[in-house]
Amino acid sequence: MTEHGVDGTPADQRFDVVVVGGGPAGLSAALNLVRARRRVLLVDSNRPRNSATLLSHGYLTRDGISPLELRKLGRDEFLSYEEGEHWQTIATSISRGDDGFVVDCEFRGQQKQALADVVLVATGLHETLPAIDGLRAFYGTFVHSCIECDGYGKRDQALAVIGEHPDLAERALLLSQWSDDLIVFTHGSADAVTESEEAQLASRGIRVDRRPIAALQGGREGLTGVELEGGEVVPREGGFVRPAWAGKLEYVAPLGADLDDDGLLVVDDHGRTTVPGLYAAGESTAPGPQQLIVAAGSGARVAAVINRDLIGGLDELGDRVQ
């Protein structure tokens, strides 16, 4: 016989916290919450944005680990606690019920529903690469997006910096810490690099090429060059691309939480959104893309806030102490 709570909800569907997203932010939050003796559901389909990347870097004690292996280790740690549960599924809608949040999920035709006192959103971002032939084949191995993560691995190489966004010059200057052989390719965008930015880059020995890219050239051994429209091939050994990022937050829309101009959830300094009981951590909040270790720290910090809010009364005591 299925056990039910006092509100009639099946006991195996009722949680203190539902964490949506199983990346570093979500896993870190889930682990800290289950250690606070909260009944926690982790909702995640294990389809991370960085799945194309073979190795992750900059994560203390795990430098060089596969992103998927890092997630598996995190899930195993979380699930070692009795009050932790993981559903391999996708949250399709979060709404308000009579007694908390209703989280509807679906994966491969299978539907599930969970109820929770609070929800933490940590689903990260959707990534769109520039439409360049061959880019996807080299992405994650010879072409990367995170300079802090992969700049060291491309040190002293002849590199391409590819993008169509106004932060391209900034990214090129940052990358000059690892290589002095850089060419910025704007892929036909007239606004990606201004004339003053081009002059600043030139003073550092960085050339800007504004012609559209036809394809990236190379094979199993690696990237060999950037082919421009017209047929010219500029020799390059590796590169960094600036994708377009967007929040995957359609499932949160029924709650009416405020989003910023980039489509990310607006939160206060403690990870609280504009909807009471709804929190966010990691890349679902500004500034967006983050190193794994930074996202993990964000999840741990917001988890502490959630636990305090569920206890209640601590803010009043804190005001008195101050």
Side-chain angles (χ1 to χ4, degrees):
M1 179 179 294
T2 302
E3 295 184 8
H4 290 75
V6 294
D7 61 353
T9 302
D12 62 352
Q13 294 179 238
R14 181 84 213 191
F15 299 89
D16 297 322
V17 185
V18 170
V19 177
V20 184
L27 287 169
S28 179
L31 178 62
N32 280 275
L33 285 163
V34 80
R35 285 181 53 80
R37 307 185 74 177
R38 300 296 178 185
R39 185 157 190 257
V40 182
L41 171 63
L42 177 67
V43 172
D44 180 59
S45 64
N46 200 30
R47 294 176 176 176
R49 176 173 66 86
N50 63 351
S51 59
T53 302
L54 297 180
L55 302 176
S56 299
H57 292 285
Y59 202 107
L60 192 63
T61 78
R62 292 294 183 268
D63 189 51
I65 193 173
S66 154
L68 292 177
E69 178 65 15
L70 182 66
R71 291 165 67 96
K72 180 183 182 300
L73 290 172
R75 284 195 306 272
D76 289 347
E77 288 178 346
F78 165 68
L79 291 173
S80 69
Y81 291 87
E82 183 179 359
E83 293 300 301
E85 186 170 341
H86 169 230
W87 290 358
Q88 185 170 351
T89 186
I90 298 172
T92 56
S93 177
I94 301 178
S95 57
R96 275 285 192 184
D98 294 333
D99 187 27
F101 292 94
V102 179
V103 183
D104 289 303
C105 306
E106 190 273 335
F107 189 66
R108 296 178 178 173
Q110 299 295 315
Q111 297 183 346
K112 285 188 173 184
Q113 186 178 83
L115 285 81
D117 295 327
V118 303
V119 172
L120 170 62
V121 173
T123 41
L125 301 170
H126 175 73
E127 188 171 78
T128 303
L129 297 175
I132 298 173
D133 187 33
L135 176 55
R136 179 61 66 178
F138 292 108
Y139 190 54
T141 52
F142 298 96
V143 179
H144 304 273
S145 60
C146 179
I147 294 174
E148 291 85 352
C149 306
D150 296 294
Y152 184 82
K154 294 291 181 284
R155 63 194 182 280
D156 301 324
Q157 294 184 15
L159 300 177
V161 186
I162 301 169
E164 304 163 297
H165 293 77
D167 60 355
L168 200 58
E170 177 186 348
R171 293 170 68 82
L173 287 175
L174 179 60
L175 190 57
S176 68
Q177 174 69 17
W178 287 277
S179 174
D180 59 5
D181 187 354
L182 303 175
I183 300 177
V184 175
F185 296 90
T186 68
H187 190 37
S189 171
D191 303 324
V193 178
T194 66
E195 291 185 4
S196 62
E197 288 173 338
E198 184 171 358
Q200 183 181 7
L201 291 174
S203 70
R204 305 286 187 97
I206 303 172
R207 180 163 65 89
V208 176
D209 196 315
R210 299 180 183 274
R211 290 173 289 177
I213 298 172
L216 298 188
Q217 298 288 347
R220 292 184 178 180
E221 297 76 15
L223 181 73
T224 58
V226 176
E227 180 185 350
L228 301 169
E229 285 192 1
E232 180 184 349
V233 177
V234 182
R236 295 288 92 184
E237 300 173 84
F240 286 82
V241 62
R242 203 295 197 181
W245 291 293
K248 300 185 295 183
L249 298 170
E250 296 83 359
Y251 66 95
V252 187
L255 295 173
D258 287 351
L259 304 178
D260 65 16
D261 292 340
D262 295 319
L264 303 175
L265 282 164
V266 174
V267 295
D268 65 12
D269 292 338
H270 305 286
R272 302 182 184 101
T273 72
T274 55
V275 175
L278 181 69
Y279 301 76
E283 294 183 339
S284 295
T285 67
Q290 300 173 353
Q291 282 187 277
L292 302 183
I293 198 165
V294 174
S298 168
R301 179 175 56 83
V302 177
V305 173
I306 290 173
N307 187 54
R308 291 174 65 91
D309 287 353
L310 286 171
I311 292 172
L314 290 174
D315 288 341
E316 289 80 358
L317 291 178
D319 291 340
R320 180 185 175 192
V321 170
Q322 293 175 1

